[in-house]
């Protein structure tokens, strides 16, 4: 029982962590170019609802994912316009995005509450990989969107640290004036990655409504977008660490879920509090560590850039 | 269009809100020459060069490069046309390596970063010009002079034909400055053109071939170096003869006021903080502190002001141990602090003159009762200070960020000196000010000296230190290399100490 | 050719025009979404019907004495929460935990009301006010401590605590506090009349309105005329200058977050006492979040917060009143979010003006 239980927990940790991972990767890209986007929750919700609506109508979950990317990306574009072009306060704009996204998703999703999606994402096995003892059932009995992250995370990591566009991305986030003086278009880079970030958040939302709990519920993200924002700090803006962090959160989520099934006598309300409390504790711990090591956020995170600022 | 000129700027005009920064300026640069662009702070030199390097766009006027008319929409386009600028504040990403900074935005690199190949290219290029840089080092590990070399190499790597240097010697020791001038002379021998932005007359005489003088945004004259002297340049630059600098009376030192005993502190960055600093300053004495940026100047100021804790050692004021007291307690001990960044920490940019002037006074009973501030009294208090120092403000509630640098500094000094401080810490008090404003600030400091304040003056300008100080101490890597009486402090000697030499060694050499 | 030019000062006309334009554009955005959404429905939709939704909302919020009083009822918690978050915002503390602080205030007040049902009103109500404020304040203090001492980002921690507070209240009303006669609904037992705040005549407008008015005046005086208000302003504008001037930033962070939470807690107390008159699930339809918009739209000015709360309260009542005709209530949040977008975007035009320059020739 113990080994089986462990495998179930770990496998569930991955599925529960995947929506957070998508959103965290998106936020990581945005923050790497210097734009803080606190609208992740709103973008995820819009992704979840557009993904669901289009998957139901087209009967193809991939159409749903595409729609979710467009939905999340469109919202992020609004944030980019406000913060990059109009130099608005990034915190407040992000909050507006979350509120707007919450409202919009509730509005669009109203007629879809309780409707089942026929063709949701289902686990597929990957030949011999899935047959490896322990690792197979933990990592390779999942739906395709999980497998996408297995490729996406290392690719992003390599992209950020070892390619020219990655260098430009980091430079814009660290010191936009320096990047600009060498002909890297700060505006273009910021628009690009903020929008890409929104698309990824949208996919994270769609994962919830099309794979994790294939249904649409109002506010179904339940704070996962905010956890993703916290995770980026935990990850020190590194995709590999974001993956690890997402699975830890997924594990906690899963543990709460499973503990009930196992008949643990703690009321479910308290188990549901765990991820939120854990987020706070993790933030406190990483902040202390970041202070000790003096490694931290991209240098220009949260600051608008204006070339003619005097 | 004469193709004799590498670059020609015609009738350039640039307006900022409330300021006409450049007014129909003409400027020409020949191939292989060093052109000095001379002018006071605020005369529009940097604006003009920011236009030439594509950072700003002119409101009117035209630019020609090798006879062809160009319009730069970004620095990239200027760089592509062969014009590179080394700004006063280096445009570098601290966490990147030298090589990464140099290839940033360059067309050479394709999708993948090939570090090894680029590093070799950079090494060869820099050796050719006698500019030593280690391409693998991270920027934050470098000294200021090394960072400046990186900026120059960066522009050369992009095939710059015209290199614009914005006040390059401001951050260097006399020795480093001389080395830099040698390098740029070598560069002109290889066909490079240089524009040297400066406000120092002796630099023009030392290194330039020609000089263009800017005053209040207008190009007032262009001369061959051989045909001018310093006096004429000064008159062109200021529109009047040199202001006679305020003379310092011989010092009359009283009791010891400020004493540091083996003060040791950390810095914010990965640089060394302060190590084992011991010094004393007496009533009526100005102790000047020299040192290159990043060697502990700022940390020393903050330690005395109580803004940075000591990890070891002691600070005494008037014999009282004030080590690691709160900033408020230090203020109450009579310490005034004129910080490096006026708008960043000395003043609150978005608040008006009243709110800024009561910043250290609002707790005192004179301005209100109980938990309340009496706004009328605060207004009167502010008006009085403003009148005393002659700050020009449009209104008492207008955000102070709208004031000019000189007025800002007067406002700050008015507040800091109002309480007749026992100790004054002044960091770069005239940075960015024109000559008249600088002179006013110096006069105020000397007045405080005659009133018996103990003053620590931290500056990057050796001339200023030599003019005002009674003693000069030199910081290097967080250590005090020695304190010399000003009579013995020759610029050369101080310069060597700023690079790490002990006073004894300097004597011997 | 069109260029942007920095203004040296915001134009006075802009100060009035920008919010008005923002409101108009936010409503327009709502209308466009209503229309698009209607297109998908089997019955189709016309712009006339969209307009009818808005007139319906207007009528619901202002059309009757009842509507108007309900608008005020919704405005009261918005005013209080808005005042609460505005103090934190003034110091650049992004307290978005008003929702949780509201719930914890309501919880503490309900605990007093349910545990000591025999208290007379003159003791009961002050006790509920005090415990509600204390509990809301402490809930605000939890994220303030790591923020003040370690620099931990308060945006995320305050938000996380909202979920914790709501789960806590849900646990109570689904568990230990559940009313045995409540037909299994997530409700506590009703309060005794002594624990209910007095109301104005027959309406549901309650004493909370007076709390909000008094607080607004007190805050205005404190911020303008007191040493503490001056410190908060300076810290908010420039923490470095504040430290330089010897102000105690740590202490002020704790103090401000406590007050901010306490005022939101008071809002929760007023709501649970006067409106719900028992503890229940979903006590707040997101007052704590709307309060963020209120505070920002009002530019943190206490009196403007009262006015903006009234307008957004009307939006909420209007939203409810058209729900019966099939318009999702979520449209209210959507319009609010859009409103914040447009106001934020509009601020740009306070700083810049658009200049058309005809004569500039472009050459490449």
């Amino acid at each position: 029982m113990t080994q089986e239980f462990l495998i179930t927990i770990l496998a569930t940790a991955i599925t529960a962590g995947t929506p957070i991972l998508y959103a965290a990767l998106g936020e990581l890209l945005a923050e790497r170019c210097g734009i803080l986007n606190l609208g992740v929750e709103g973008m995820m919700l819009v992704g979840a609802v557009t993904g669901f609506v289009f998957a139901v109508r087209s009967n193809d979950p991939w159409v749903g994912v595409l729609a979710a990317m467009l939905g999340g990306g469109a919202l992020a574009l609004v944030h980019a316009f406000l913060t990059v072009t109009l130099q608005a306060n990034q915190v407040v704009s992000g909050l507006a995005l979350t509120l707007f996204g919450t409202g919009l998703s509730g509005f669009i999703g109203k007629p879809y509450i309780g409707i089942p999606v026929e063709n949701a994402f289902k686990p597929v096995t990957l030949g011999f990989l899935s047959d490896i003892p322990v690792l197979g059932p933990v990592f390779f009995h999942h739906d395709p969107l999980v497998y996408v992250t297995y490729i996406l995370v290392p690719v992003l990591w390599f992209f950020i640290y070892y390619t020219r566009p990655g260098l430009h991305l980091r430079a814009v986030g660290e010191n936009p004036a320096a990047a600009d003086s060498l002909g890297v278009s700060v505006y273009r880079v910021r628009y690009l990655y903020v929008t890409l970030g929104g698309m990824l958040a949208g996919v994270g939302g769609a994962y919830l409504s099309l794979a994790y709990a294939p249904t649409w519920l109002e506010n179904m993200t339940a704070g996962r977008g905010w956890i993703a924002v916290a995770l980026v700090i935990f990850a020190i803006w590194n995709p590999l660490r974001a993956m690890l962090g997402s699975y830890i959160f997924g594990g906690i989520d899963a543990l709460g879920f499973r503990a009930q099934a196992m008949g643990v006598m703690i009321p479910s309300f308290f188990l549901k509090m765990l991820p939120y409390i854990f987020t706070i504790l993790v933030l406190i711990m990483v902040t202390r560590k970041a202070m000790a090591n003096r490694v931290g956020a991209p240098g220009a995170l949260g600051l608008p850039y204006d070339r003619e600022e005097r | 269009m004469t193709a004799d000129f590498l670059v020609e700027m015609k009738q350039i005009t640039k307006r900022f809100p409330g300021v006409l920064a450049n007014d129909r300026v003409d400027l020409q640069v020949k191939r292989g020459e060093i052109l000095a662009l001379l002018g006071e702070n605020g005369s529009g030199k940097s604006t003009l060069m920011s236009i030439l390097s594509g950072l700003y766009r002119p409101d009117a006027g035209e630019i020609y490069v090798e006879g062809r008319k160009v319009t730069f929409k970004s620095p990239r386009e200027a760089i592509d046309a062969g014009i590179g600028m080394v700004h006063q504040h280096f445009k570098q990403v601290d966490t990147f390596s030298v090589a990464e900074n140099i290839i940033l935005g360059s067309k050479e690199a394709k999708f993948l970063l090939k570090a090894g190949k680029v590093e070799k290219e950079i090494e060869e290029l820099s050796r050719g010009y006698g500019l030593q840089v280690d391409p693998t080092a991270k920027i934050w590990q470098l000294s200021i002079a090394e960072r400046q070399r990186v900026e120059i190499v960066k522009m050369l790597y992009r095939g710059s034909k015209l290199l614009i240097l914005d006040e390059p010697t401001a951050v260097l020791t006399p020795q480093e400055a001389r080395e830099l001038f040698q390098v740029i002379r070598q560069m002109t021998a290889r066909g490079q053109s240089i524009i040297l932005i400066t406000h120092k007359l002796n630099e023009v005489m030392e290194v330039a071939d020609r000089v263009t003088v800017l005053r209040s945004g207008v190009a007032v004259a262009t001369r061959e170096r051989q045909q001018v002297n310093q006096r004429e340049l000064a008159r062109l630059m200021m529109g009047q003869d040199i202001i006679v600098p305020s003379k310092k009376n011989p010092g009359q030192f009283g009791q010891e006021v400020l004493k540091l005993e083996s003060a040791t502190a950390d810095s914010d960055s990965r640089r060394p903080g302060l190590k084992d600093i011991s010094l004393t300053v007496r009533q009526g004495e100005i102790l000047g502190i020299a040192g290159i940026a990043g060697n502990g100047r700022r940390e020393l100021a903050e330690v005395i002001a109580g803004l940075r804790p000591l990890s070891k050692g002691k600070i005494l004021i008037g014999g009282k141990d004030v080590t690691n007291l709160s900033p408020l307690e230090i203020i109450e001990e009579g310490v005034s602090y004129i910080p490096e960044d006026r708008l960043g920490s000395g003043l609150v940019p978005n608040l008006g003159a009243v709110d800024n002037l009561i910043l250290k006074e609002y707790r005192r009973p004179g301005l209100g009762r109980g938990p309340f501030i009496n706004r009328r009294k605060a207004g009167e208090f502010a008006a009085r200070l403003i009148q005393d120092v002659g700050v020009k403000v449009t209104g008492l509630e207008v955000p102070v960020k709208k004031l000019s640098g000189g007025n800002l500094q007067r406002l700050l000094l008015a507040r800091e000196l109002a309480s007749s401080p026992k100790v004054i810490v002044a960091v770069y008090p005239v940075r960015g000010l024109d000559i008249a404003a600088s002179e006013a600030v110096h006069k105020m400091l000397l007045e405080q000296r005659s009133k018996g304040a103990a003053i620590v003056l931290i500056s990057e300008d050796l001339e200023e230190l030599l003019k005002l100080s009674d003693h000069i101490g030199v910081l290097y890597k967080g250590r005090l290399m020695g304190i010399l009486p000003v009579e013995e402090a020759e610029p050369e000697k101080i310069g060597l100490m700023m690079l790490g030499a002990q006073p004894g060694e300097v004597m011997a050499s | 050719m069109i260029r942007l030019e920095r203004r040296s000062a915001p134009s006075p006309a802009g100060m009035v025009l920008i919010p008005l334009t923002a409101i108009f554009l936010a409503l327009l955005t709502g209308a466009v979404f209503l229309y698009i959404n209607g297109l998908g429905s089997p019955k189709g939709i016309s712009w006339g019907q969209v307009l009818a939704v808005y007139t319906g909302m207007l009528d619901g919020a202002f059309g009757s004495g009842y509507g108007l009083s309900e608008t005020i009822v919704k405005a009261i918690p918005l005013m209080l929460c808005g005042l609460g978050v505005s103090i934190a915002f003034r110091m650049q503390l992004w307290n978005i935990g008003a929702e949780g602080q509201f719930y914890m205030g309501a919880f503490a007040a309900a605990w007093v009301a349910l545990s000591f049902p025999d208290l007379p009103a003159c003791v009961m109500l002050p006790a509920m006010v005090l415990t509600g404020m204390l509990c809301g304040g402490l809930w605000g203090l939890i994220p303030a401590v790591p923020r003040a001492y370690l620099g931990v980002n308060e945006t995320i921690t305050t938000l996380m605590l909202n979920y914790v507070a709501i789960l806590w209240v849900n646990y109570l009303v689904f568990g230990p506090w559940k009313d045995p006669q409540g037909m299994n609904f997530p409700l506590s037992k009703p309060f005794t009349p002594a624990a209910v705040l007095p109301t104005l005549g027959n309406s549901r407008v309650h004493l909370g309105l007076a709390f909000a008015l008094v607080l607004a005046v007190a805050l205005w005086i404190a911020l303008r005329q007191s040493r503490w208000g001056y410190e908060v302003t300076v810290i908010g504008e420039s923490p470095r200058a504040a430290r330089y001037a010897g102000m105690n930033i740590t202490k002020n962070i704790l103090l401000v977050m406590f007050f901010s939470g306490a005022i939101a807690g008071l809002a929760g107390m007023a709501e649970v006492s006067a409106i719900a008159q028992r503890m229940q699930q979903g006590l707040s339809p997101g007052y704590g979040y709307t309060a963020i918009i209120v505070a920002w739209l009002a530019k943190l000015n206490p009196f403007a917060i009262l006015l903006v709360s009234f307008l957004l309260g009307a939006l909420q009542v209007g939203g409810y009143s058209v729900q019966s005709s099939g318009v999702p209530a979520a449209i209210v949040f959507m319009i609010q979010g859009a409103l914040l977008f447009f106001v934020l975007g509009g601020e740009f035009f306070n700083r810049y003006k658009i200049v058309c320059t005809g004569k500039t020739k472009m050459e490449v």
Side-chain angles (χ1 to χ4, degrees):
Chain A
M1 129 102 193
T2 44
Q3 195 196 339
E4 233 169 80
F5 178 71
L6 206 66
I7 287 174
T8 325
I9 285 286
L10 290 176
T12 323
I14 289 176
T15 36
T18 297
I20 306 178
L21 176 59
Y22 273 110
L25 290 176
E27 179 66 10
L28 192 146
L29 283 180
E31 291 193 14
R32 271 283 182 185
C33 72
I35 299 287
L36 178 69
N37 187 349
L38 295 181
V40 185
E41 183 84 358
M43 299 186 297
M44 278 183 92
L45 277 168
V46 167
V49 79
T50 46
F52 189 81
V53 169
F54 279 83
V56 165
R57 294 212 168 178
S58 69
N59 211 16
D60 181 349
W62 289 105
V63 173
V65 170
L66 197 68
M69 285 172 77
L70 293 180
L75 277 200
L77 203 56
V78 175
H79 184 67
F81 178 67
L82 281 169
T83 57
V84 178
T85 303
L86 301 187
Q87 295 164 24
N89 183 313
Q90 296 181 11
V91 174
V92 182
S93 173
L95 291 176
L97 198 60
T98 286
L99 292 166
F100 182 77
T102 309
L104 180 63
S105 65
F107 181 75
I108 299 175
K110 190 77 190 287
Y112 292 87
I113 295 174
I115 289 180
V117 51
E118 303 278 324
N119 213 345
F121 282 109
K122 297 201 177 57
V124 279
T125 51
L126 292 180
F128 74 96
L129 283 174
S130 308
D131 300 330
I132 305 171
V134 186
L135 293 184
V138 171
F139 289 103
F140 300 108
H141 280 258
H142 293 299
D143 52 83
L145 281 180
V146 172
Y147 299 140
V148 170
T149 61
Y150 293 171
I151 300 164
L152 186 63
V153 169
V155 164
L156 270 183
W157 172 79
F158 183 82
F159 177 82
I160 290 173
Y161 292 101
Y162 295 99
T163 70
R164 194 167 90 105
L167 183 74
H168 291 180
L169 165 64
R170 283 184 289 143
V172 167
E174 289 286 347
N175 188 343
D180 189 22
S181 75
L182 294 172
V184 178
S185 168
V186 174
Y187 289 0
R188 194 156 59 201
V189 166
R190 289 194 161 172
Y191 263 97
L192 177 67
Y193 291 103
V194 169
T195 310
L196 275 178
M199 290 177 156
L200 285 174
V203 177
Y207 187 86
L208 284 174
S209 63
L210 295 177
Y212 188 65
T215 176
W216 163 250
L217 287 170
E218 240 179 86
N219 286 325
M220 71 184 301
T221 47
R224 283 185 180 85
W226 292 96
I227 292 176
V229 175
L231 247 178
V232 175
I233 303 172
F234 166 81
I236 328 179
W237 294 267
N238 179 334
L240 301 180
R241 282 186 58 120
M243 187 172 209
L244 179 75
S246 302
Y247 293 162
I248 295 176
F249 272 97
I252 290 168
D253 225 2
L255 215 56
F257 209 60
R258 295 284 150 181
Q260 252 185 308
M262 286 177 58
V264 175
M265 288 310 289
I266 306 169
S268 64
F269 299 102
F270 293 106
L271 294 172
K272 283 186 195 153
M273 286 179 193
L274 281 180
Y276 309 117
I277 294 172
F278 188 68
T279 305
I280 296 173
L281 295 179
V282 162
L283 265 184
I284 293 174
M285 278 177 337
V286 254
T287 310
R288 282 185 63 181
K289 202 163 154 243
M291 278 167 80
N293 292 345
R294 301 200 169 124
V295 290
L301 182 59
L303 305 173
Y305 177 65
D306 180 0
R307 187 186 282 170
E308 297 208 4
E309 183 71 62
R310 300 215 314 169
Chain B
M1 200 55 42
T2 41
D4 300 349
F5 297 122
L6 175 65
V7 168
E8 199 169 4
M9 298 178 84
K10 286 188 166 180
Q11 300 290 301
I12 298 290
T13 299
K14 177 76 185 175
R15 223 176 279 274
F16 287 108
V19 195
L20 185 56
N22 289 144
D23 185 8
R24 287 163 293 165
V25 176
D26 289 329
L27 179 116
Q28 297 97 16
V29 191
K30 295 179 195 159
R31 282 192 189 77
E33 78 163 349
I34 300 178
L35 173 75
L37 183 59
L38 179 71
E40 276 206 69
N41 285 316
S43 61
K45 300 170 299 202
S46 294
T47 305
L48 185 67
M49 288 300 108
S50 293
I51 290 171
L52 183 54
S53 64
L55 200 60
Y56 298 165
R57 294 223 225 156
D59 297 337
E62 294 166 347
I63 301 173
Y64 295 85
V65 176
E66 296 181 312
R68 272 200 320 276
K69 184 171 174 196
V70 290
T71 315
F72 298 141
K73 291 197 218 55
S74 70
R76 168 66 161 271
E77 296 182 1
I79 290 170
D80 288 348
I83 298 171
M85 178 156 172
V86 174
H87 293 266
Q88 227 173 338
H89 300 283
F90 305 138
K91 310 256 177 185
Q92 292 168 344
V93 183
D94 286 2
T95 49
F96 283 14
S97 74
V98 169
E100 282 177 322
N101 266 287
I102 290 175
I103 56 163
L104 189 61
S106 135
K107 284 182 178 147
E108 300 297 310
K110 295 285 178 272
F111 185 75
L112 291 180
L113 299 173
K114 294 192 191 95
K117 180 172 154 269
V118 174
E119 281 161 12
K120 198 178 283 165
E121 284 171 9
I122 291 168
E123 229 173 308
E124 275 163 25
L125 181 73
S126 57
R127 207 175 314 117
Y129 283 98
L131 287 157
Q132 274 184 331
V133 289
D134 170 9
T136 57
K138 296 262 190 266
I139 292 296
W140 60 263
Q141 298 170 315
L142 302 182
S143 75
I144 296 291
E146 287 170 315
R147 292 183 56 167
Q148 191 175 54
R149 290 204 283 273
V150 172
E151 284 297 270
I152 296 174
V153 171
K154 194 158 88 181
M155 291 307 154
L156 296 175
Y157 185 79
R158 269 144 231 271
S160 126
K161 288 179 241 167
L162 169 64
L163 194 62
I164 306 167
L165 302 172
D166 189 0
E167 304 265 2
T169 58
V171 292
L172 302 178
T173 66
Q175 287 81 4
E176 288 170 333
R178 205 171 313 124
E179 212 174 294
L180 174 72
F181 286 157
Q182 245 162 33
V183 168
I184 62 177
R185 269 198 217 98
Q186 274 176 31
M187 285 164 49
T188 54
R190 295 175 64 162
Q192 277 280 329
S193 301
I194 310 273
I195 295 181
L196 178 73
I197 307 178
T198 184
H199 65 270
K200 292 182 183 159
L201 304 170
N202 57 342
E203 285 182 359
V204 177
M205 300 313 287
E206 189 180 340
V207 75
D209 298 314
R210 286 192 313 139
V211 52
T212 294
V213 185
L214 273 191
R215 187 171 73 224
S216 318
V218 181
V220 290
T222 298
R223 300 283 152 88
E224 298 286 327
R225 196 249 329 252
Q226 282 91 345
Q227 294 165 358
V228 284
N229 56 36
Q230 291 211 16
R231 199 187 165 79
E232 191 191 348
L233 283 179
R235 198 166 30 230
L236 286 169
M237 183 163 94
M238 283 173 282
Q240 62 189 67
D241 270 319
I242 304 171
I243 299 173
V244 183
S246 46
K247 262 256 180 62
K248 161 176 91 175
N249 304 319
Q252 289 188 323
F253 308 139
Q255 290 167 317
E256 280 182 10
V257 183
L258 175 71
K259 194 173 171 75
L260 268 65
E261 292 176 3
S262 329
T264 301
D266 292 333
S267 77
D268 293 332
S269 61
R270 290 159 272 214
R271 294 206 188 85
L274 290 181
K275 284 185 214 135
D276 251 342
I277 304 277
S278 297
L279 55 83
T280 52
V281 190
R282 291 164 289 179
Q283 286 178 329
E285 179 180 358
I286 297 185
L287 172 66
I289 299 285
I292 305 170
N295 281 275
R297 298 184 306 193
R298 188 165 80 224
E299 286 79 4
L300 178 63
E302 289 178 352
V303 156
I304 300 172
L307 295 170
R308 181 175 293 276
L310 287 189
S311 55
K312 212 177 109 243
K314 265 199 240 177
I315 300 180
L316 301 145
I317 291 172
K320 184 180 166 193
D321 189 347
V322 298
T323 314
N324 292 343
L325 292 187
S326 72
L328 180 58
E329 289 164 309
I330 299 288
I331 291 168
E332 286 183 345
E333 287 300 325
V335 177
S336 274
Y337 175 30
I338 295 139
E340 180 178 0
D341 50 343
R342 284 157 219 153
L343 276 180
S345 52
L347 297 164
V348 188
N350 288 323
L351 297 184
V354 177
D355 279 335
N356 270 293
L357 284 169
I358 64 171
L359 193 61
K360 288 193 170 168
E361 200 61 37
Y362 73 99
R363 298 183 191 89
R364 308 235 161 89
L367 289 187
R369 202 182 311 146
F372 295 105
I373 293 177
N374 185 329
R375 283 268 143 198
R376 192 175 48 81
K377 280 190 186 162
E380 289 167 6
F381 171 79
R384 202 167 56 239
L385 286 187
I386 284 173
Q387 208 179 6
D388 283 354
V389 294
V391 185
K392 288 178 218 117
V393 290
T394 39
L396 288 176
E397 302 292 342
V398 178
V400 295
K401 66 177 176 194
K402 300 223 161 30
L403 296 178
S404 72
N407 274 321
L408 277 176
Q409 193 67 326
R410 268 184 220 158
L411 199 70
L412 183 59
L413 280 162
R415 184 186 71 210
E416 290 306 305
L417 305 182
S419 52
S420 308
K422 279 196 269 180
V423 176
I424 299 168
V425 182
V427 187
Y428 319 137
V430 301
R431 179 189 269 183
L433 305 190
D434 62 25
I435 294 176
S438 303
E439 205 37 58
V441 168
H442 285 165
K443 233 169 88 193
M444 288 166 91
L445 285 174
L446 287 174
E447 270 169 31
Q448 290 295 318
R449 173 174 173 266
S450 5
K451 279 195 198 162
I455 302 175
V456 177
L457 172 68
I458 299 177
S459 175
E460 52 196 358
D461 184 352
L462 272 183
E463 274 174 48
E464 180 184 22
L465 287 174
L466 292 168
K467 175 178 147 197
L468 297 179
S469 312
D470 298 301
H471 285 88
I472 295 185
V474 182
L475 280 174
Y476 175 71
K477 292 202 170 161
R479 290 181 190 279
L480 201 52
M481 302 310 291
I483 298 180
L484 303 173
V486 71
E487 301 78 34
E488 293 172 26
E490 293 137 27
E492 288 296 304
K493 204 193 269 181
I494 300 285
L496 286 173
M497 286 166 73
M498 284 161 78
L499 294 170
Q502 299 286 343
E505 299 168 33
V506 181
M507 311 281 182
S509 62
Chain C
M1 186 186 162
I2 292 171
R3 275 191 321 118
L4 290 171
E5 203 166 277
R6 198 179 282 266
R7 287 179 195 274
S8 43
S11 79
M15 304 284 264
V16 181
L17 275 177
I18 287 167
L20 288 180
T21 317
I23 291 174
F24 174 75
L25 290 176
L27 291 175
L28 192 67
T29 309
V32 169
F33 275 102
L34 274 173
Y35 187 75
I36 294 172
N37 200 50
L39 287 180
S41 75
K43 281 176 285 176
I45 193 166
S46 71
W47 284 105
Q49 282 165 294
V50 171
L51 197 64
V53 171
Y54 278 130
T55 51
M57 285 169 76
L58 210 60
D59 192 50
F62 301 114
S64 61
Y66 173 76
L68 201 62
S69 76
E70 277 306 293
T71 293
I72 296 172
V73 166
K74 293 284 174 229
I76 293 169
L78 290 180
M79 290 172 181
L80 287 169
C81 290
L83 291 171
V85 298
S86 75
I87 334 176
F89 281 11
R90 203 167 265 274
M91 253 183 54
Q92 312 270 354
L93 288 170
W94 302 108
N95 174 20
I96 51 175
E99 186 81 355
Q101 292 144 13
F102 175 99
Y103 269 100
M104 290 315 274
F107 147 72
W111 175 78
V112 171
L114 295 171
S115 309
F116 310 100
D118 301 329
L119 291 177
C122 63
V123 181
M124 177 73 99
L125 290 173
M128 286 169 72
V129 166
L130 283 181
T131 51
M133 290 183 77
L134 185 70
C135 195
L138 290 176
W139 204 246
L141 209 52
I142 297 174
V145 171
R147 166 64 214 266
Y149 291 98
L150 300 169
V152 176
N153 184 323
E154 76 284 359
T155 322
I156 299 168
T157 49
T158 48
L159 188 105
M160 291 286 114
L161 286 173
N162 289 347
Y163 290 100
V164 176
I166 291 168
L167 283 167
W168 166 243
V169 166
N170 284 354
Y171 160 71
L172 291 174
V173 294
F174 278 100
W177 281 12
K178 187 150 78 180
D179 183 4
Q181 271 106 54
M183 324 243 290
N184 226 7
F185 280 114
L187 303 166
S188 77
K189 274 193 285 196
F191 296 165
T192 55
V196 175
L197 277 179
T199 56
L200 195 70
N202 282 335
S203 72
R204 297 209 297 165
V205 175
H206 54 86
L207 200 60
L209 183 63
F211 294 166
L213 297 179
V214 170
L215 260 173
V217 174
L219 261 185
W220 189 81
I221 294 174
L223 290 171
R224 231 354 252 155
Q225 309 283 339
S226 80
R227 289 169 211 261
W228 176 72
Y230 176 72
E231 285 193 3
V232 167
T233 309
V234 172
I235 295 172
E237 285 289 342
S238 169
R240 270 161 69 206
R243 211 171 91 79
Y244 159 85
M247 295 173 183
N248 189 334
I249 297 178
T250 308
K251 187 190 85 186
N252 272 306
I253 290 178
L254 299 178
L255 210 61
V256 158
M257 282 298 287
F258 179 83
F259 278 136
S260 183
I263 298 173
L266 178 63
M269 176 271 159
E271 191 75 4
V272 81
S273 157
I275 304 299
Q277 303 182 9
R278 65 194 335 162
M279 197 67 208
Q280 63 181 43
Q281 192 194 14
L283 183 69
S284 157
Y287 291 132
Y289 297 112
T290 306
I292 298 165
I293 302 176
V294 168
W296 197 260
L297 291 188
K299 298 244 152 83
L300 311 185
N301 177 312
F303 298 120
I305 286 174
L306 300 182
L307 180 72
V308 174
S309 299
F310 182 74
L311 291 178
L312 292 193
L315 182 63
Q316 216 140 36
V317 173
Y320 285 130
S321 65
V322 293
Q323 232 180 322
S324 49
S325 53
V327 179
I331 191 166
V332 172
F333 258 121
M334 205 176 77
I335 293 177
Q336 286 176 357
L339 187 54
L340 192 48
F341 276 142
F342 287 116
V343 167
L344 265 177
E347 281 168 7
F348 182 78
F349 297 98
N350 263 336
R351 287 180 283 129
Y352 289 89
K353 59 183 167 200
I354 295 173
V355 183
C356 297
T357 47
K359 275 181 283 179
T360 315
K361 278 170 275 175
M362 291 284 287
E363 283 180 54
V364 185

